Amino acid sequence: MNKSGEIRVIALGLIQNSERIFVSEGYDPAKQSTFYRALGGGVDFGETSHAALQREFQEEIQAELTNIRYLGCIENLFIYNNRQGHEIIQLYQCDFADSKFYQIESLLFSESGTHHHWALWVEISRFKSGELRLVPEEFFNYL
């Protein structure tokens, strides 16, 4: 999360394999609820969102991306841990360059060296049924 009152620009990669997508698992302690979203992260000043996407996947799970295609921009207003958040999401569709990532079920990764998260393949039907929560909901427009 950013400082209060700041808009954060992020780049996220939507990776789909058949009827499943690769997402990270998050938890909101205030709402005591688990949510899922595509992997990626913040765009640094002077960096393109395309470059940020590649850097974030390399830093977080040591993965190279291929077939990167821009899908669109999503403005995301949300509440996380009782704090207002505001993101501009540059969304990309992409694939893993290394096929080993399609074989794994899940992996633990570190964000900023301190926060640990799970990245995993999840059946899209589990989000569509409401069993699991995909954020932001606008992602459904791209599946």
Side-chain angles (χ1 to χ4, degrees), residues 58-69:
Q58 186 58 240
E59 288 176 0
E60 292 178 352
I61 62 171
Q62 294 73 54
E64 298 290 331
L65 298 175
T66 187
N67 304 323
I68 302 170
R69 187 173 64 88

Side-chain angles (χ1 to χ4, degrees), residues 12-13 27 33 48 53 55 62 68-69 73-76 80 96 98 116 126 131 135:
L12 300 181
Y27 182 76
S33 68
T48 66
L53 178 71
R55 176 183 51 74
Q62 294 73 54
I68 302 170
R69 187 173 64 88
C73 182
I74 298 171
E75 187 166 13
N76 186 28
Y80 172 77
F96 287 116
D98 188 336
H116 289 69
R126 296 181 72 190
E131 176 191 348
V135 296

Side-chain angles (χ1 to χ4, degrees), residues 36-109:
Y36 299 85
R37 80 166 197 188
L39 270 74
V43 178
D44 293 335
F45 183 81
E47 178 182 48
T48 66
S49 60
H50 186 279
L53 178 71
Q54 292 176 298
R55 176 183 51 74
E56 287 286 343
F57 268 80
Q58 186 58 240
E59 288 176 0
E60 292 178 352
I61 62 171
Q62 294 73 54
E64 298 290 331
L65 298 175
T66 187
N67 304 323
I68 302 170
R69 187 173 64 88
Y70 182 70
L71 292 176
C73 182
I74 298 171
E75 187 166 13
N76 186 28
L77 299 167
F78 61 95
I79 303 291
Y80 172 77
N81 204 17
N82 292 328
R83 289 182 54 203
Q84 174 75 45
H86 189 170
E87 297 172 330
I88 302 297
I89 301 170
Q90 295 294 80
L91 184 62
Y92 291 87
Q93 180 179 333
C94 49
D95 296 315
F96 287 116
D98 188 336
S99 63
K100 77 175 182 185
F101 286 99
Y102 294 101
Q103 311 309 316
I104 61 170
E105 288 301 314
S106 64
L107 60 91
L108 189 64
F109 71 95

